[in-house]
Amino acid sequence: MSDTKSVLPYGSWPSPIEADDAARGDALLEWVGFLGDDVCWTEVLPEEDGRSGLMRRTADGVEEVLPPGWDVRTRVIEYGGRPWLALSGRAADGLVFTHGPDQRLHRWRPGSDPVPLSPPGAWPGELRYADFAVHGDEIWCLRETVADDTARTARRHLVAIPLDGSAAEDPTRVRELAATHHFMTGPRIEPGGDRVAWLGWDHPDMPWDTTRLMVAAVLPDGTLGAPAVRMGGEGEAVTQADWATDGSGTLYAVSDPDGWWNVHAVDRDGGTRSLCPRREEFGEALWRIGLRWCLPLLDGTLAVIHGVGERRLGILGADGVLTDFADPATEWHFAATDGRRIAAVASSPGRRRTVVLADPADGSVRTVRAPSTEGRSLPSDVARDADGAAPYARTPAPDAYATTPYRRTYRGDDGEPVHVHVYPPHHPEFTGPGDELPPYLVLAHGGPTSRSHLVLNQEISYFTSRGIGVVDVQYGGSTGYGRAYRERLRHRWGLTDVQDCATAARGLIAEGLADPDRIAIRGGSAGGWTAVASIAAEPGLYRAAAVYYPVLDPVSWREETHDFESRYLDGLIGPWPDTADRYAHQSPLREADRIRTPFVLLQGLDDTVCPPAQAERLLQRIDPDTVPYRCLTFEGEGHGFRRSATVAASLRAELRLYADALGFTPAAASSCSPS
């Protein structure tokens, strides 16, 4: 590889990162836990129709825990939740898990096939289970009962299921424990089994608006006493709760009474105190049941994941002192503990998602599942530690083509901050002409009450390695910056997000970083809403748009979407029908017939969150003779594409659109490779 870069127009740089590479190269690693001494995790397998395998590392590499074909995935609240649990600290006792196709709870013991523990529903997927705990000879968990495969009507209970399998054929063996709220998390059982805690909330609240921490006594017959509220309430969202390990009866709660998700101790009498009050987040929006960011350890300390716009792993001592691990990871997800060590999925601007094992005893962080792994075993060219673990040092070759992203904050016309992640164009062998500025893609994340992560991302590298910049906008309403920043979107969806994306684009232009005539926007789900609203509101700014599985018509979406989000718009736009004028004004469809910006629309036909009818309503208002557009639909895909062929086809369609609309010629499939 030469030290002197060749000059080629932006967008036309040859890149070794093809669409197929971007689709399969960044493994979706989730739901980490311990099975005996082994760290295990779920991993989406795109080449197997998006099946979610339960994996672990052995001395010979990475292997699947369960026999072939099992899909460890729950559809609770459609976004899912923690789908498996080891039954004890001994691997020989096996585990329980939810199987994707039928959503039944199963038990697995080493050397045998899984057997069902829960009864079948009236139809596959009627009964769904997540977020498990062991109590005696039963599994306690959240059960969701949905009326049909649209999940528009659902009921939820905490239930107890016998471990002996007797409920598999006899539904009366399943005991209902509690149903305090329309939505609940799974149970957290106090060490010793005397009390149980869970979170609950009701429509129209979402779990980042208002939740309540419930605690009930476990009676001698295994039923629960009257539950009591221990924390939370109007305008306060408890996002996680876990018991101390020392038998003190202390309950740790991550809540935001002061506007930031901080860690609190709740004593037996209901008194609370903040353990480390900071203007930063120690939790996230509870989009999936069973997520944890605060892990009580056996020595009385807490492992916590915290930060503003990023997440670091630290240990919070009893004295309130917080000490972070000396590790470059800036994002930590799906954390779990065996009481001594912490396993999680970690990533950073220089590293893709990696399963790691952190040990507070010596401050070490070891790789368990390297990001370069494809398939079931680590590649032979990855150097290993003495114990067989792969260290961080070796980076997969395509990642040499990844850009170095950075954070930036712009100010809108109203003076409000707009936080962004900038991914400049980068190629080790090519640069753009001195008199040319690069095209940029404005990325609007989904949610909208969510955020994206400043990490190495193959999908973004697919564009930046070709000479196309990406600015990832954490628009008002995003998490990671406190409740006040989240509340900037309240009743202003379709306004604040659109304005903030435009602020980000104009900020780059003002700095001389982006070509003002070559700006495009892309987004999925809620980001698809923002993308369509943006090309309608800012026709002179955006020259192309890529729209993935969008929500577009808020009035019909209220009736078409699943139960979990069916009242989401009360906070994003306003209560229906009292604010019907806002629904009409803020909908991206309001001026859709005036759109002239070319776009590509990509939609899964099995999407229950943003059904295909949403996309169809946009196309009905577009004149194909006036607006060039393509619509690609995919059988078997839901909300968020899981199959590598789907992702690759979508990226190729995007690149073709940008080339035509932004005026560049992409390089042909390249044999370019690092030296």
Side-chain angles (χ1 to χ4, degrees):
M1 185 179 295
S2 171
D3 292 334
T4 302
K5 293 188 176 185
S6 301
V7 176
L8 280 178
Y10 290 106
S12 65
W13 301 346
S15 171
I17 305 173
E18 299 298 341
D20 290 331
D21 302 317
R24 66 173 178 263
D26 201 7
L28 184 55
L29 314 172
E30 301 180 322
W31 302 117
V32 180
F34 289 86
L35 179 62
D37 290 331
D38 290 338
V39 176
C40 302
W41 64 95
T42 62
E43 181 168 338
V44 173
L45 306 172
E47 303 301 332
E48 297 186 36
D49 290 334
R51 180 173 70 85
S52 186
L54 183 63
M55 320 300 286
R56 65 180 167 192
R57 195 207 83 194
T58 70
D60 296 324
V62 174
E63 67 177 18
E64 195 158 350
V65 175
L66 300 175
W70 291 92
D71 187 0
V72 183
R73 177 160 53 107
T74 175
R75 290 184 59 191
V76 160
I77 68 167
E78 293 305 298
Y79 289 104
R82 182 163 287 278
W84 72 278
L85 176 75
L87 290 175
S88 73
R90 300 188 314 133
D93 291 332
L95 55 89
V96 295
F97 69 97
T98 296
H99 179 48
D102 62 13
Q103 291 294 291
R104 294 176 74 182
L105 180 63
H106 289 72
R107 179 175 184 174
W108 171 80
R109 293 182 177 91
S112 63
D113 288 327
V115 295
L117 297 183
S118 65
W123 51 275
E126 179 202 18
L127 303 174
R128 306 168 175 185
Y129 304 87
D131 207 9
F132 310 107
V134 178
H135 187 268
D137 57 2
E138 294 178 319
I139 290 293
W140 289 17
C141 63
L142 174 68
R143 182 187 68 191
E144 179 179 70
T145 307
V146 297
D148 55 42
D149 58 6
T150 67
R152 292 172 195 159
T153 303
R155 295 175 292 113
R156 294 164 190 90
H157 297 82
L158 299 186
V159 298
I161 301 174
L163 274 167
D164 63 8
S166 57
E169 302 298 333
D170 182 2
T172 66
R173 294 281 292 159
V174 178
R175 297 191 302 116
E176 293 183 356
L177 299 170
T180 55
H181 296 78
H182 189 58
F183 298 96
M184 296 184 292
T185 66
R188 297 288 179 266
I189 302 172
E190 183 181 15
D194 293 336
R195 293 182 295 169
V196 62
W198 65 93
L199 307 181
W201 68 97
D202 293 304
H203 282 319
D205 288 317
M206 298 298 285
W208 42 86
D209 296 325
T210 294
T211 63
R212 289 171 172 81
L213 171 58
M214 310 301 297
V215 176
V218 180
L219 303 179
D221 63 356
T223 61
L224 302 187
V229 178
R230 289 299 184 217
M231 198 171 185
E234 191 64 34
E236 179 182 347
V238 186
T239 197
Q240 185 207 330
D242 264 295
W243 297 96
T245 60
D246 59 4
S248 64
T250 299
L251 185 58
Y252 297 116
V254 180
S255 193
D256 66 345
D258 300 318
W260 295 84
W261 275 313
N262 282 186
V263 181
H264 298 75
V266 183
D267 61 31
R268 285 186 176 274
D269 298 325
T272 64
R273 58 189 174 90
S274 181
L275 299 181
C276 187
R278 294 189 178 194
R279 292 177 60 82
E280 59 182 89
E281 305 279 41
F282 287 72
E284 299 272 6
L286 194 62
W287 279 100
R288 304 175 79 179
I289 303 298
L291 291 171
R292 303 171 75 195
W293 304 274
C294 172
L295 307 175
L297 304 181
L298 292 173
D299 63 2
T301 62
L302 297 171
V304 293
I305 296 171
H306 68 103
V308 178
E310 66 174 17
R311 294 294 180 270
R312 302 278 181 174
L313 176 65
I315 300 297
L316 180 60
D319 56 1
V321 174
L322 177 57
T323 305
D324 287 342
F325 278 79
D327 185 85
T330 54
E331 295 291 346
W332 296 76
H333 310 279
F334 303 104
T337 183
D338 62 358
R340 298 181 297 105
R341 304 167 298 166
I342 305 101
V345 177
S347 55
S348 74
R351 185 174 70 238
R352 289 181 278 143
R353 289 185 291 260
T354 306
V355 179
V356 300
L357 181 63
D359 191 342
D362 58 12
S364 65
V365 179
R366 295 181 177 273
T367 297
V368 176
R369 197 287 197 195
S372 54
T373 306
E374 303 230 359
R376 307 300 171 81
S377 61
L378 293 168
S380 59
D381 65 341
V382 175
R384 297 178 181 273
D385 294 336
D387 66 352
Y392 285 158
R394 188 65 178 267
T395 304
D399 291 350
Y401 291 78
T403 189
T404 301
Y406 58 89
R407 302 179 193 278
R408 178 76 89 235
T409 299
Y410 295 111
R411 294 279 173 178
D413 293 339
D414 56 4
E416 291 285 351
V418 180
H419 306 295
V420 306
H421 304 156
V422 182
Y423 293 80
H426 169 75
H427 194 296
E429 297 178 355
F430 295 95
T431 188
D435 60 350
E436 180 183 342
L437 290 173
Y440 256 84
L441 310 181
V442 175
L443 174 56
H445 65 69
T449 312
S450 183
R451 67 185 180 97
S452 45
H453 309 126
L454 188 73
V455 299
L456 199 158
N457 181 299
Q458 278 284 79
E459 194 167 297
I460 288 178
S461 294
Y462 175 76
F463 296 109
T464 57
S465 63
R466 286 169 165 75
I468 306 165
V470 176
V471 58
D472 192 354
V473 185
Q474 311 305 298
Y475 49 81
S478 299
T479 58
Y481 304 93
R483 181 179 278 262
Y485 197 78
R486 293 203 312 271
E487 294 288 333
R488 284 189 57 220
L489 200 63
R490 179 165 289 276
H491 297 165
R492 288 186 54 81
W493 193 32
L495 303 174
T496 295
D497 49 325
V498 170
Q499 293 166 3
D500 286 0
C501 285
T503 293
R506 293 192 170 102
L508 288 171
I509 293 168
E511 289 189 79
L513 299 175
D515 186 337
D517 295 324
R518 295 198 291 173
I519 304 294
I521 188 167
R522 70 190 300 256
S525 189
W529 159 291
T530 302
V532 174
S534 292
I535 60 176
E538 297 274 3
L541 179 61
Y542 301 108
R543 303 304 171 94
V547 183
Y548 284 76
Y549 33 82
V551 52
L552 296 172
D553 178 10
V555 176
S556 65
W557 187 73
R558 293 177 63 258
E559 303 299 328
E560 292 172 348
T561 194
H562 61 138
D563 181 49
F564 176 65
E565 291 184 273
S566 61
R567 297 293 300 275
Y568 195 6
L569 298 185
D570 284 45
L572 292 175
I573 299 177
W576 177 267
D578 298 346
T579 58
D581 57 332
R582 288 189 208 154
Y583 281 72
H585 177 69
Q586 293 171 220
S587 167
L589 297 183
R590 180 172 68 97
E591 295 184 342
D593 58 346
R594 301 172 62 181
I595 290 174
R596 296 297 180 266
T597 303
F599 66 89
V600 60
L601 197 155
L602 307 123
Q603 178 70 49
L605 295 179
D606 293 347
D607 194 336
T608 59
V609 177
C610 295
Q614 290 286 307
E616 291 164 5
R617 290 188 180 94
L618 172 64
L619 300 183
Q620 290 167 2
R621 298 175 183 230
I622 299 295
D623 181 356
D625 295 329
T626 304
V627 184
Y629 75 84
R630 294 181 69 199
C631 178
L632 279 67
T633 59
F634 302 96
E635 293 278 358
E637 289 283 14
H639 197 64
F641 298 155
R642 297 173 66 89
R643 297 172 179 172
S644 58
T646 303
V647 176
S650 300
L651 290 174
R652 284 191 287 267
E654 275 197 74
L655 185 61
R656 174 180 169 183
L657 167 71
Y658 301 144
D660 292 342
L662 305 183
F664 60 82
T665 302
S670 175
S671 60
C672 179
S673 61
S675 59

